[in-house]
């Protein structure tokens, strides 16, 4: 277990079979922290418009399903197959099937110099110039 924003999150699932124990990573647990700058920028972009924010792992034009690019999409309804992930503020939906390509703990920031969002984890920068698309 590890601590995230004052709560503990279980990172593992244990399956017992034939008297033995096998450890599996649970892909459904994810936590995304919004920086204050990123939250303010999203609020300015949606300007009170009703909708849902989705972290989209877009593979169109990438040539391979494992070569995707993350983006923020503002949509009317969360797409089928998405799951609401735990955040410190703005609700966010992620495709269950694409969670395997993302880290369990991430942060969304806004970088004024690049005029773009940034998705990072303690281990890496997943997208240094993440785009926002209003799909409504």
């Amino acid at each position: 277990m590890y601590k995230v924003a004052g709560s503990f999150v279980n990172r593992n699932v244990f399956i017992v079979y034939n008297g033995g124990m096998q450890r599996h990573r649970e892909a459904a647990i994810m936590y995304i922290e919004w920086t204050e700058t990123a939250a303010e920028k999203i609020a300015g972009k949606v300007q009170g418009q009703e909708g849902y924010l989705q972290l989209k792992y877009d593979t169109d034009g990438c040539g391979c399903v494992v070569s995707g690019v993350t983006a923020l999409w503002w949509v009317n309804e969360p797409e089928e197959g998405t799951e609401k992930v735990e955040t410190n503020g703005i609700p966010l939906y992620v495709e269950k099937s694409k969670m395997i390509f993302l880290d369990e703990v991430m942060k969304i920031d806004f970088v004024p110099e690049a005029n773009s969002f940034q998705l990072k984890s303690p281990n890496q920068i997943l997208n240094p110039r993440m785009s926002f698309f209003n799909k409504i």
Side-chain angles (χ1 to χ4, degrees), residues 87-114:
T87 72
N88 66 330
I90 300 170
L92 190 63
Y93 292 81
V94 178
E95 295 169 275
K96 288 181 197 178
S97 64
K98 301 300 193 297
M99 285 182 171
I100 194 166
F101 302 116
L102 303 170
D103 289 342
E104 293 173 334
V105 177
M106 295 178 291
K107 181 183 285 189
I108 296 176
D109 197 3
F110 185 81
V111 182
E113 298 80 22

Side-chain angles (χ1 to χ4, degrees), residues 14-53:
F14 292 92
I15 300 172
V16 178
Y17 65 99
N18 294 335
M21 191 178 292
Q22 183 175 357
R23 183 175 164 212
H24 292 276
R25 179 173 175 230
E26 184 173 346
I29 295 177
M30 184 177 287
Y31 178 80
I32 299 177
E33 177 186 344
W34 289 92
T35 65
E36 188 175 329
T37 306
E40 289 172 0
K41 201 65 164 172
I42 284 291
K45 288 186 175 289
V46 299
Q47 299 177 356
Q49 183 180 33
E50 288 196 30
Y52 297 87
L53 196 57

Side-chain angles (χ1 to χ4, degrees), residues 1 5 8 11-12 19 25 34 36 39 48 57 60 73-74 88 100 106 115 117-118 123-125 127 131 134-135:
M1 298 221 299
F8 286 92
R11 294 180 68 171
N12 301 300
R25 179 173 175 230
W34 289 92
E36 188 175 329
Y57 187 83
D60 288 345
W73 286 16
W74 187 247
N88 66 330
I100 194 166
M106 295 178 291
N115 194 32
F117 292 92
Q118 186 177 78
N123 301 321
Q124 64 182 323
I125 295 177
N127 189 344
S131 299
N134 189 333
K135 299 286 188 170

